[in-house]
Amino acid sequence: MSATATSQRVFNFSAGPAVMPVSVLRELQEELIEFPGAGSSLMELSHRGQVFVDVLHDAQDTIRSLYGISDDYEVLFLQGGAALQFSMIPANLIRGNDKTAQYLVTGSWGKKAVGEARKEGKVEVLYDAKESGYNHVPSSGDYAASDDAAYLYYCSNETIQGVQFAEEPSCPAGVPLICDASSDILSRPLDIKKYGLLYACAQKNAGPAGVTVVIIRKDLLDHAPDNLAGYLTYKNHAENDSEWNTPPTFAIWALGKVAHWLADDIGGLEAMQKLNERKAKLLYDSIDANSGFYAGHARRDCRSRMNVTFNLPSDELLNKFVKEAATHDLASLKGHRSIGGIRASIYNAMPIEGAETLAKFMNDFAAKNG
Amino acid sequence: MSATATSQRVFNFSAGPAVMPVSVLRELQEELIEFPGAGSSLMELSHRGQVFVDVLHDAQDTIRSLYGISDDYEVLFLQGGAALQFSMIPANLIRGNDKTAQYLVTGSWGKKAVGEARKEGKVEVLYDAKESGYNHVPSSGDYAASDDAAYLYYCSNETIQGVQFAEEPSCPAGVPLICDASSDILSRPLDIKKYGLLYACAQKNAGPAGVTVVIIRKDLLDHAPDNLAGYLTYKNHAENDSEWNTPPTFAIWALGKVAHWLADDIGGLEAMQKLNERKAKLLYDSIDANSGFYAGHARRDCRSRMNVTFNLPSDELLNKFVKEAATHDLASLKGHRSIGGIRASIYNAMPIEGAETLAKFMNDFAAKNG
């Protein structure tokens, strides 16, 4: 077992909820019963009291500072995960009006988002990579976005298939670009000015399940139809600083600590990106060095830095791989039930030693079984 | 400081998020980094893995067993708090049909629920205690519920005003009774068979903020209109055992521990009710013994066992009360900004010593300042 994990901890390649920084878990543990100076657990404190409000603002400020987010944007902490965003986005932006929302579908999550959007208004799928088994993302020449669309929507990283946009898809000026960044938020620098709205559930790169980060340009707050459910109305959350109702206080506290770990311990998003690229390279190099044995799912130029997906020559070998990996403290490697194979999720908090251990195991396993 | 609190902890009378059992906080702390046998924190584990699924089922089973809930009901763990339930209930049960939902309004939360319901369909307010300043709940003769209503809705305990239904309001046979039990869930036995749907956010009596318990009779799952947002459709959550999307795993884990504390340490809901009545009696006795000094908000027969609300002769004395109470480790006593005064929330996890300490302080304060 590597010295970077604690005695009993394994390298956890779960696709989400997923590995968190050990130093964050240690801090949460230390402060769990008595938040410093508060005489109570953070979980027991009113969300409107100064102690929690400071925690909330600190988490917002740290995310703002990591991305360099301007005052043109709100940073909201909501509940309901990406699944509720699939509905909230079209409910706020196309319900009750004549505009069309345009979608790029590059995997399972984009497909689900389209299903929910169709319930709210006019939707057009500009590109769907289904026929390739969702192994790539489109180039700018592959689709034609309209100048007058309500928005252009995409998912920057598809966790199930392991395909990722290397940069933002092209989007007409004046059309809000909307991104589901649930599985690669905070994994690399982004120019937020390019987005109308970018959101992510926390449980992959940003913290525990139960909080969703929504970064929304302020002009988009004014499009919600009358009579939209209060919780679904972004403006309510923005006007009340994410306290329109009681927010998930523990999850926000943990999210703030993860953001601080990124800023202070890792050194920011550029440093994080370099680390993530090193981890991904270790695993993809092992796939490529054993290309007769391992078959990567994603096209090479669209490979995800977060979820490395590949298959083995047979189900028998696949099961043997998972079983033997577990004896090396390499856990949660089974691919999603919808596509099978192996999926190694190497989010921000996966230490480089985890990727090294897995890459070595992959090479050894291929040598013995190839 | 009482021996039942740890060295630095205060008696926390916050209305929510609120005090949790210290033994639950200790267990969470102990198991935070490595869930026993899992090699990871519970927060890092897939919601679909056996470890978390067992945690989820254990929490459901413990709540089922505490209330004696039959298989005619689902026990769901959702996100979005009571605020999202205000919309989900009418969206599932009156949107797109001709039925009328009937509401009893006995305080701020019932009023908010009506506001959201009106967005979804036909709503009738059968009783509104507004003119009394929400100081009581209606008797069965005070309103006439219809036989063909979609449902009859009430809030069993209004936290802001401190009024509580001693038992279920009368409801015509065949009409589903729906209850917002956010602030008194698990505080006393209930006959769940009387309800169509009973729900509660966790952060008062049941755990940390971020999870909402919904106990719903199965026949009510089939009323949702086509095209209702997926997250808002109860049936989706029921058919997927609260894993239609990623649930708030940490909050569910904590909720399960609170339910076990109730069942195993307290001895069940009858024992909890007795303790809660003892705590409430201590404070109301102190109000009544100093009735020229303290003015209780609720009518005597409608007094809440969860939130004790009262005022002092002047703002000056009110501020002095809060300030001096803090020096006795009595925290978060200020009333809600909408009605002022003092609010002492004495949820399940408030130890009897907290109520004793506060009652003694109240008597002493009245003697010195009355």
Side-chain angles (χ1 to χ4, degrees):
Chain A
M1 189 78 232
S2 157
T4 58
T6 63
S7 56
Q8 301 301 312
R9 282 173 58 87
V10 298
F11 290 121
N12 173 6
F13 294 91
S14 171
V19 59
M20 289 174 62
V22 184
S23 61
V24 168
L25 293 174
R26 285 212 185 98
E27 277 184 40
L28 290 172
Q29 183 178 49
E30 213 164 285
E31 301 168 2
L32 197 82
I33 296 185
E34 289 163 26
F35 187 89
S40 291
S41 173
L42 189 281
M43 284 183 273
E44 300 173 298
L45 297 176
S46 167
H47 55 296
R48 301 200 189 278
Q50 201 55 51
V51 173
F52 178 72
V53 168
D54 286 348
V55 164
L56 176 86
H57 287 164
D58 183 62
Q60 286 170 333
D61 292 347
T62 312
I63 291 171
R64 279 188 181 278
S65 144
L66 280 163
Y67 274 133
I69 300 173
S70 80
D71 286 346
D72 297 335
Y73 292 80
E74 296 278 354
V75 177
L76 308 177
F77 298 140
L78 307 183
Q79 296 184 62
L84 188 55
Q85 293 308 305
F86 294 167
S87 296
M88 273 180 74
I89 290 163
N92 277 266
L93 299 176
I94 59 170
R95 189 194 287 184
N97 67 43
D98 268 340
K99 290 205 151 193
T100 299
Q102 301 194 312
Y103 281 71
L104 305 176
V105 178
T106 57
S108 305
W109 298 110
K111 202 176 151 190
K112 287 195 182 191
V114 166
E116 292 298 332
R118 286 199 199 284
K119 298 177 179 174
E120 305 293 343
K122 277 195 261 179
V123 171
E124 192 182 350
V125 175
L126 287 188
Y127 189 86
D128 191 327
K130 186 179 179 184
E131 283 189 15
S132 72
Y134 294 118
N135 75 353
H136 70 285
V137 304
S139 308
S140 60
D142 293 339
Y143 62 91
S146 308
D147 283 342
D148 60 351
Y151 56 83
L152 176 65
Y153 180 105
Y154 77 113
C155 175
S156 50
N157 182 69
E158 285 282 356
T159 49
I160 292 176
Q161 287 81 15
V163 299
Q164 186 176 26
F165 281 82
E167 51 187 38
E168 292 83 7
S170 68
C171 178
V175 173
L177 181 64
I178 295 192
C179 177
D180 174 0
S182 288
S183 52
D184 63 2
I185 193 171
L186 299 175
S187 71
R188 57 184 176 181
L190 287 180
D191 185 1
I192 295 294
K193 284 196 307 297
K194 293 182 177 170
Y195 296 86
L197 188 159
L198 180 140
Y199 74 90
C201 55
Q203 69 264 17
K204 294 162 193 291
N205 257 334
V211 60
T212 303
V213 181
V214 175
I215 303 168
I216 182 170
R217 215 175 56 212
K218 288 177 180 170
D219 62 286
L220 296 179
L221 297 171
D222 293 319
H223 295 252
D226 292 343
N227 277 347
L228 180 59
Y231 194 87
L232 269 55
T233 306
Y234 288 119
K235 194 172 190 169
N236 286 337
H237 300 290
E239 286 180 345
N240 291 280
D241 200 11
S242 296
E243 298 207 338
W244 183 72
N245 68 333
T246 309
T249 54
F250 176 85
I252 291 170
W253 183 40
L255 169 72
K257 285 189 184 291
V258 171
H260 269 292
W261 167 80
L262 258 169
D264 307 335
D265 296 3
I266 298 295
L269 296 180
E270 267 181 59
M272 190 72 254
Q273 181 176 30
K274 277 182 197 152
L275 267 169
N276 284 332
E277 281 172 358
R278 275 177 61 199
K279 289 184 280 176
K281 187 172 188 306
L282 282 163
L283 301 188
Y284 287 119
D285 280 355
S286 180
I287 291 173
D288 294 340
N290 301 283
S291 60
F293 188 73
Y294 297 120
H297 180 79
R299 212 172 69 188
R300 287 195 182 208
D301 60 326
C302 305
R303 282 173 164 175
S304 167
R305 265 75 170 165
M306 299 279 103
N307 313 93
V308 177
T309 51
F310 57 96
N311 218 327
L312 278 83
S314 70
D315 282 354
E316 201 189 331
L317 282 167
L318 179 72
N319 292 332
K320 193 176 174 192
F321 182 99
V322 172
K323 216 167 166 181
E324 282 190 20
T327 67
H328 290 74
D329 287 331
L330 301 164
S332 295
L333 284 161
K334 245 191 159 168
H336 191 269
R337 59 195 183 284
S338 62
I339 75 162
I342 296 290
R343 170 171 54 177
S345 297
I346 46 172
Y347 298 122
N348 285 355
M350 171 60 64
I352 189 96
E353 292 79 2
E356 284 167 352
T357 307
L358 176 56
K360 184 178 180 312
F361 172 77
M362 285 169 67
N363 291 334
D364 293 350
F365 190 86
K368 268 187 242 161
N369 297 279
Chain B
M1 187 80 231
S2 157
T4 58
T6 62
S7 56
Q8 299 303 311
R9 283 174 57 86
V10 298
F11 290 120
N12 173 6
F13 294 91
S14 171
V19 59
M20 289 175 61
V22 183
S23 61
V24 167
L25 294 174
R26 284 211 186 98
E27 275 183 41
L28 291 171
Q29 183 179 50
E30 214 165 281
E31 300 169 3
L32 196 82
I33 296 185
E34 289 164 26
F35 187 89
S40 291
S41 173
L42 190 281
M43 285 184 271
E44 300 174 298
L45 296 176
S46 168
H47 54 297
R48 301 199 189 279
Q50 201 55 51
V51 173
F52 177 72
V53 169
D54 287 347
V55 165
L56 177 85
H57 288 164
D58 183 61
Q60 286 171 332
D61 292 346
T62 312
I63 290 171
R64 278 187 182 279
S65 145
L66 281 164
Y67 275 132
I69 300 174
S70 80
D71 286 346
D72 295 336
Y73 291 80
E74 296 278 354
V75 177
L76 309 176
F77 298 140
L78 306 183
Q79 295 183 63
L84 188 55
Q85 293 308 305
F86 294 167
S87 297
M88 275 180 73
I89 290 164
N92 277 264
L93 299 177
I94 59 170
R95 188 192 289 183
N97 67 41
D98 268 340
K99 290 206 150 191
T100 298
Q102 300 193 313
Y103 281 71
L104 305 176
V105 178
T106 56
S108 305
W109 297 111
K111 201 176 152 192
K112 287 195 183 194
V114 166
E116 292 298 332
R118 288 199 198 283
K119 298 177 180 176
E120 304 294 342
K122 278 195 261 179
V123 171
E124 191 183 350
V125 175
L126 287 188
Y127 190 86
D128 191 327
K130 187 179 177 184
E131 284 189 14
S132 73
Y134 295 119
N135 76 351
H136 71 284
V137 306
S139 308
S140 60
D142 293 338
Y143 62 92
S146 309
D147 283 342
D148 60 351
Y151 56 83
L152 176 65
Y153 180 106
Y154 77 113
C155 174
S156 51
N157 183 69
E158 285 281 356
T159 49
I160 291 176
Q161 287 80 15
V163 299
Q164 186 176 27
F165 281 82
E167 50 187 36
E168 292 82 7
S170 69
C171 179
V175 172
L177 182 64
I178 296 192
C179 178
D180 174 0
S182 288
S183 52
D184 64 2
I185 192 171
L186 298 175
S187 71
R188 56 185 176 182
L190 287 180
D191 184 1
I192 295 294
K193 284 197 306 296
K194 293 182 177 169
Y195 296 86
L197 188 159
L198 181 139
Y199 74 90
C201 55
Q203 68 264 17
K204 294 161 193 293
N205 257 334
V211 60
T212 303
V213 180
V214 175
I215 302 169
I216 182 170
R217 214 174 56 212
K218 288 178 180 170
D219 62 285
L220 296 179
L221 298 171
D222 292 320
H223 295 252
D226 292 343
N227 276 347
L228 180 59
Y231 193 87
L232 268 55
T233 306
Y234 289 119
K235 194 172 191 169
N236 286 337
H237 299 290
E239 285 180 345
N240 292 279
D241 201 11
S242 297
E243 299 208 337
W244 183 72
N245 68 331
T246 309
T249 54
F250 176 86
I252 291 170
W253 182 40
L255 169 72
K257 284 187 185 291
V258 170
H260 269 292
W261 167 81
L262 258 170
D264 306 335
D265 297 2
I266 298 295
L269 297 181
E270 268 181 58
M272 190 71 255
Q273 181 176 29
K274 277 181 197 151
L275 267 169
N276 285 332
E277 281 171 359
R278 274 178 61 200
K279 289 183 280 176
K281 187 171 187 306
L282 283 164
L283 302 188
Y284 287 119
D285 280 354
S286 179
I287 291 174
D288 294 340
N290 302 284
S291 59
F293 189 73
Y294 297 121
H297 179 79
R299 213 172 67 187
R300 287 195 184 209
D301 60 326
C302 305
R303 281 173 164 176
S304 167
R305 267 75 171 163
M306 300 279 103
N307 312 94
V308 178
T309 51
F310 57 96
N311 217 328
L312 279 83
S314 70
D315 281 354
E316 201 189 331
L317 282 167
L318 179 72
N319 292 331
K320 192 176 175 194
F321 182 99
V322 171
K323 216 166 166 182
E324 282 189 22
T327 68
H328 291 74
D329 286 333
L330 301 164
S332 296
L333 283 163
K334 246 191 157 164
H336 190 269
R337 60 196 184 283
S338 62
I339 74 161
I342 295 290
R343 170 171 55 176
S345 298
I346 46 173
Y347 298 122
N348 286 355
M350 170 59 65
I352 189 95
E353 292 79 3
E356 285 167 351
T357 308
L358 176 56
K360 185 177 179 314
F361 172 77
M362 286 169 68
N363 291 334
D364 293 348
F365 189 86
K368 268 186 242 160
N369 298 278

